[in-house]
Amino acid sequence: MNNSRHMSYWSGIRKRLQRNKTAMAGAIILLVFTLGSLLAPVIAPHPVEQMNFDQRLAAPSSTHLLGTDDFGRDIFSRLLHGGRISLLMGLITVVLSTTIGVTLGIIAGYYRRLDLFIMQGMDILMSLPALLLAIAVIAVLGPGLANAMIAVVIAVIPSYVRVVRSAVLSIREKEYIEAVRALGIRDWQILLKHILPNIMSPIIVLSTIQFGVSILAAAALSFLGLGAQPPMPEWGAMVFVGKSFLSQAWWMSIFPGMAIMLVVLGFNLLGDGLRDALDPKTR
Amino acid sequence: MKKSWWKTGPLSVLLATAVIAGCSSQTANQTTQPKTDEAGKTSNTLVVSSLIDPDTLDLHKTTWLGNENGLLYEPLLSRDTSGKIIPGLAEKYEISPDGKTWTFTIRKNIRFHTGNPVTAAAVKESFDRMLEISPVKGIVGPIEKVEATDEQTLKVHFSKPFSPFINVVISGMVSPVDTKAAKELGDGFGDKPSGTGPIQFEKRERGASLLFKKNPEYNWGPEYVANKGPLHIDNVLFRFLKDDDTRMMEFKKGTIHVLHDVPANSVAELQSLPGVDIQKTMDIGIKYIAFNNKHPLFSDVRLRKAVALSVDRDPLVQVALNGFGKPIYGPLAPTIFGYSEAIENKAKQMYTRNVAESKQLLADAGWTDTNNDGIVDKDGKPLSVEILVSQQPAFTRAAQILQSQLREAGIDLKITVQEMTTIKDRISKKSYDMALMYYGWYDADILFLIFEKSNAESRMHYTRPELDDLLNKGREASSEEERIRIYEQAQEILLNDSPWVPLWVNEVVTATRGIKGFGLNSYTQYFILNDVTLDK
């Protein structure tokens, strides 16, 4: 396989992705949120922790674009800063669960003797609802953002293992793998150089969608009071706090809720687009 | 595309209505159940929404009394709505000159819910059972023995004079229990309790509701109510709804007459509803910041004072409690015996927020902001402390405000939210910096229960022999004036040493609707149900 062929494979995917309008909409949403979060200290109109008791529960206005919360803190500024937490948390959980999940999945798919043990472990995890599992993990570790991330990672790993294992299973029987094995190449080289590149597309699609799932799960945990703790401007926690003011200040929970929804929607749209673009049948 | 006929056809409508009908008949059953249980057609039930389902209705096995398990029993003495001591089941009481013997004269012709007579002997039995099995028997003080000298006379002998006993009696923790019934029922007494209160036990659904019916024999109501006889209402149903939104919704719908512990941010909304009556009572305790006085940082009084001086209580009350509370600077709440206005004023003078003074104290202790990050530091380490907070919304909100206030003085406060049991465990192990805590008790003797050296071990780890002496004297002094004087001295020590930071006294808000004659006694913290009638 020469280099230019390789390039055209990826550029073809990019072109197909760009033609997909919904995927681009997802990408644009994510770009806006990522920029907003990265530039939060610059564009936030008010200091994020500053309390202003005269401005409690102020409705959206020109000074406070999205209103203020029960401490008079500017919700728009908190949303921008909260985006950093949510996106970073999504990134960390996805990187961690991808690394662990892909490793376990490859091992299970390639070394058939270990398959049973790993997959039974995963089946046990999958037999529990993901959120319930996360709550159980937090019950052991105690509430907090870091523990919420660990809980989410544990809860999403099985889905990676399943996908990766089945992809490896189909590829390891291919003739070219048999050929490299016949050449006496070491197992880890086969795994890294010949199998991993060929299962990249399901991993990319899954990671994109899991990004949204992780953010949603972490927000759900924070909403239950198990994840991020006050005064952290985590979106789920903001919805939680706003819940008890819903009749007086709807903006306290609606806007962070919308932010969660948009980001998760963005990841799902992009993920769907990537799947279509990476699927050889739609070429 | 082929449509599934059953999704759009008439059958779906039928299905849907069946489901809805099923639901509604079920809910209807649930709400009417208690009413149909009671024999009369004229049955009228007062419905109360309450937060905590009591652990047990056996007075001698519980650690905590609310209206649910407290109104079943009646104390020997009580306080009226202005705080004056009034007779309860005892017509009068007398303390011997040496302060060691209390003599109560029990009223005649009173019966327990089972019909067993209330005699001095029965009350003695009740005391004996309390002293034997109660998990909180420590509060009754150094009782030597209890004896019934005749049908009506009960004598309680102490090894040392114990003045707080009057408030132990008033608290209801030693109210007469029908020990005859308790002996017959054994462990089952908690499910079929018998006392002398205006309501008697009828039915319980654990975690959901408690149904009481009126005590038809009752004719010994306190002086301050118009109706001394049996209640006008036939039943009282306590419903335990934990979720604030659900409670509010039910109250607005009219299925609840009394909403106890209204969430602070909903009071304004309720006030605007027609026919809703709002009543407030001051709590008999305070919320405070507990320091670990053995902590390397907080063993230094300057640091404790620096924290105390950087706290502004008004925003705590206005924002965290939506105004339903009162800032408190001294150790005791105004509803507690031993509260002194002079002390409170002095405390206010000493500890009204003063960031400059707070910073000065920190500087004296060697903490200054050398790297201009807004946080003071010493030997290159920033002053960062952790506060343990339970998950109650008012507490977590107060903690955030404290965080921003302490930051202005240069102290970095980290908030850790944990279960109350975990917090108490960490406190007794001394593995904490600060914690947001509360206490509630009827007498200044609470200071003994918190600060005396044997008790301080499991709390703030602050010990001071002079304070112990005073607190012991306060237990023994016989006259009220003398006790107040002693507790003033004790409170003064606490002001100077600042082993804690008193923050606020809660106001418990109760909303009622569709009833008349409902009252609250802030000195006993109980509902007054004697004059309640339902509107029809």
Side-chain angles (χ1 to χ4, degrees), chain A residues 97-123 126 157-173 191 195-196 198-200 202-203 206:
Chain A
S97 52
T98 310
T99 318
I100 301 172
V102 169
T103 313
L104 284 177
I106 287 182
I107 292 173
Y110 194 74
Y111 299 104
R112 305 293 296 144
R113 264 171 301 143
L114 294 174
D115 187 30
L116 189 69
F117 300 107
I118 294 177
M119 289 322 288
Q120 273 184 349
M122 292 303 126
D123 283 340
M126 281 186 112
I157 280 178
S159 53
Y160 278 97
V161 178
R162 291 234 138 208
V163 168
V164 172
R165 171 181 172 270
S166 61
V168 172
L169 273 184
S170 71
I171 284 172
R172 77 189 288 269
E173 302 302 333
L191 287 175
I195 292 186
L196 194 58
N198 283 301
I199 57 168
M200 271 327 270
I203 296 178
L206 188 63

Side-chain angles (χ1 to χ4, degrees), chain B residues 429-480:
Chain B
K429 285 183 184 145
K430 292 186 208 165
S431 70
Y432 78 112
D433 305 345
M434 290 157 70
L436 204 51
M437 298 294 290
Y438 60 87
Y439 76 73
W441 188 233
Y442 299 81
D443 192 279
D445 194 43
I446 185 65
L447 298 178
F448 182 94
L449 300 171
I450 294 177
F451 287 111
E452 195 270 339
K453 61 178 183 294
S454 57
N455 298 313
E457 257 322 285
S458 59
R459 292 173 193 270
M460 282 171 268
H461 312 287
Y462 162 83
T463 42
R464 182 86 190 258
E466 302 96 291
L467 181 70
D468 286 358
D469 283 351
L470 285 168
L471 294 176
N472 275 308
K473 265 196 212 154
R475 294 191 127 190
E476 289 165 22
S478 53
S479 81
E480 292 211 341

Side-chain angles (χ1 to χ4, degrees), chain A residues 51 70 73 225 230-231 248, chain B residues 265 315 318 391 397 400 403 417:
Chain A
M51 294 185 182
D70 54 326
R73 294 178 298 204
Q248 307 155 54
Chain B
N265 48 26
Q318 290 311 320
Q391 245 160 349
R397 293 168 69 192
Q400 293 179 63
Q403 186 180 45
V417 181

Side-chain angles (χ1 to χ4, degrees), chain A residues 187-207:
Chain A
D187 275 358
W188 64 269
Q189 280 181 318
I190 299 178
L191 287 175
L192 283 183
K193 285 193 176 162
H194 301 280
I195 292 186
L196 194 58
N198 283 301
I199 57 168
M200 271 327 270
S201 45
I203 296 178
I204 291 172
V205 173
L206 188 63
S207 297

Side-chain angles (χ1 to χ4, degrees), chain B residues 8-295:
Chain B
T8 48
L11 186 63
S12 68
V13 181
L14 209 68
L15 270 174
T17 43
V19 170
I20 293 166
C23 292
S24 60
S25 72
Q26 207 180 2
T27 50
N29 269 342
Q30 270 172 1
T31 47
T32 54
Q33 212 169 14
K35 285 184 186 167
T36 48
D37 270 5
E38 180 60 27
K41 309 132 220 133
T42 53
S43 143
N44 52 359
T45 303
L46 178 78
V47 185
V48 182
S49 157
S50 205
L51 279 176
I52 305 166
D53 189 13
D55 47 355
T56 170
L57 298 177
D58 184 341
L59 179 65
H60 293 158
K61 290 189 176 161
T62 190
T63 53
W64 170 89
L65 282 183
N67 289 296
E68 301 81 5
N69 51 357
L71 286 173
L72 270 173
Y73 306 97
E74 270 190 326
L76 296 176
L77 301 168
S78 187
R79 285 187 195 273
D80 67 9
T81 43
S82 63
K84 206 181 94 208
I85 295 171
I86 54 165
L89 288 182
E91 279 168 356
K92 57 181 199 261
Y93 75 106
E94 219 178 69
I95 308 171
S96 67
D98 66 357
K100 288 188 185 175
T101 305
W102 293 56
T103 310
F104 295 93
T105 310
I106 310 293
R107 269 185 215 226
K108 276 185 202 162
N109 301 328
I110 292 183
R111 285 173 186 282
F112 287 113
H113 297 147
T114 49
N116 297 330
V118 180
T119 58
V123 180
K124 170 201 153 44
E125 291 281 309
S126 171
F127 263 103
D128 289 348
R129 185 170 181 263
M130 151 99 195
L131 290 170
E132 196 181 326
I133 65 171
S134 173
V136 292
K137 56 187 167 212
I139 58 163
V140 299
I143 289 190
E144 224 166 41
K145 66 169 184 185
V146 182
E147 60 173 347
T149 50
D150 62 39
E151 213 24 32
Q152 271 188 283
T153 315
L154 180 83
K155 283 187 193 287
V156 182
H157 300 283
F158 289 89
S159 57
K160 281 193 290 190
F162 182 63
S163 301
F165 190 62
I166 183 92
N167 290 314
V168 176
V169 170
I170 290 165
S171 77
M173 287 310 269
V174 293
S175 298
V177 166
D178 189 353
T179 48
K180 220 179 209 173
K183 255 183 218 136
E184 282 161 23
L185 293 165
D187 281 343
F189 186 67
D191 300 319
K192 213 169 177 301
S194 166
T196 58
I199 54 172
Q200 61 189 70
F201 178 75
E202 176 76 20
K203 203 172 122 207
R204 171 170 204 177
E205 274 178 55
R206 246 184 203 285
S209 67
L210 250 175
L211 179 68
F212 297 98
K213 60 181 183 193
K214 73 172 169 196
N215 177 0
E217 306 282 313
Y218 191 83
N219 66 351
W220 49 87
E223 286 160 17
Y224 56 86
V225 297
N227 168 31
K228 311 266 193 280
L231 302 185
H232 299 307
I233 41 177
D234 295 324
N235 301 303
V236 180
L237 176 69
F238 287 94
R239 293 182 58 197
F240 306 105
L241 303 167
K242 291 223 167 54
D243 184 64
D244 283 346
D245 302 330
T246 321
R247 303 169 65 211
M248 284 289 293
M249 218 123 75
E250 294 244 12
F251 183 74
K252 283 192 259 179
K253 229 167 51 184
T255 50
I256 289 170
H257 298 113
V258 181
L259 186 66
H260 194 39
D261 259 322
V262 180
N265 48 26
S266 309
V267 178
E269 191 188 341
L270 289 185
Q271 263 164 340
S272 65
L273 290 176
V276 172
D277 193 26
I278 303 271
Q279 297 199 32
K280 293 181 252 176
T281 44
M282 192 73 83
D283 200 2
I284 49 155
I286 66 169
K287 315 286 184 243
Y288 59 91
I289 298 175
F291 289 117
N292 175 0
N293 284 271
K294 288 272 182 317
H295 189 274

